[in-house]
Amino acid sequence: MNDDEPVLLHTEGHVLHITLNRPRALNALTHTMVRGIGEALTRAAGEESVTAVLIRGAGERGLCAGGDIRSIYEDARAGRRASVDFWRDEYRLNAQIARFPKPYVALMDGIVMGGGVGVSAHGNVRIVTERSRVAMPETGIGFVPDVGGTRLLASAPGELGVHLALTGRAVDAADAILCGLADHFVPSDHLDDLVRDLSRSTTAGEVTETVRRHATEAPGGELAEQRAWIDDCYAADTVEEITERLLKSSVPAAEETAAALRTLSPTALKVTLAAVRRARRLGSLEAVLDQEFRVSCRAFAGPDLVEGVRARIIDKDRSPRWNPSEHGDVTAAEVARHFEPLGDQELGLVSR
């Protein structure tokens, strides 16, 4: 194991450990990392000596903050297509994780956002801690939730998933479990003990029992108490009507949410709303990932992703100039265009 590698692999007992190893970049995913994880999972699936896989992030800040946004920005500005190739392999990895035949234990400690959700929340043993902050914050940079995130959020109770998809809000452990993004809460200072005990597990059943033995009840979240106004407001058909309901709700948190939505990309908001609602009808993760690939490719070619990354990551002025700048100027035809087939450039997971 070379500690300079972006993905570290080692085995303890019968558990293969995958460590995302870019702590200075909050373990943001690169194409090389995606390929490395996929290759490791392919080998582990066929090795009888491997009972389970455990994925975690190096450093103290989190599992993974997402993809390498700066490289996507530079790629788009230069008119290249490396980001599309990255997404193609990343989304295939998300599907591979969801179908992995052995326990896939994700330690979702600290920050878990965007692509970090993709390499964790599709697993079958998802652990959060009191430090967890889980989010799909893509609308803040003029993008749309991907890596299967629209399916995960579409499956959340009521309209909670739509709320999180549009706002990009980060949730804590209890709310991540409530929304179906995680399964178990383990205090962060117990993780080393959990990992040690997992290494002694020789069957999938023992892995499950070990996790349950270490898990406790998560501290109370916020979303359960906010369900009434969230479900009412986000049941509306359009972003405009959702915003209007939020403003008229007389609930301070709802009014603050309406103000926050007005700062985000109108195109990204409308496409995100459509994507989550379409995901509810698509059924399989593969079908949703095929849809997300179309949307991502179209967003990559549009103006708001570059502008959103510029405002948040590059210049950090937090003053993006969205195009169009008003919700009403984003037409139904423009939203529908994001979902049109890509011809021979399709991701094609369903056909596979």
Side-chain angles (χ1 to χ4, degrees), residues 94 97-98 100 103-106 117-126 183:
N94 302 144
I97 290 169
F100 191 67
Y104 181 95
V105 182
V117 173
V119 297
S120 59
H122 296 301
N124 47 26
V125 185
R126 305 165 301 174
D183 306 300

Side-chain angles (χ1 to χ4, degrees), residues 290 294 298 336-346:
D290 281 347
R294 296 178 192 125
R298 295 276 160 50
R337 187 182 67 82
H338 283 73
F339 298 90
E340 292 175 356
L342 299 170
D344 59 4
Q345 298 300 309
E346 286 279 288

Side-chain angles (χ1 to χ4, degrees), residues 87 89-99 115 117-119 122 146-148 285 289 292:
W87 288 324
D89 285 341
E90 184 183 26
Y91 300 174
R92 288 172 178 168
L93 173 62
N94 302 144
Q96 183 182 10
I97 290 169
R99 306 302 178 212
V117 173
V119 297
H122 296 301
D146 64 339
V147 299
L285 173 62
L289 287 166
E292 290 179 348

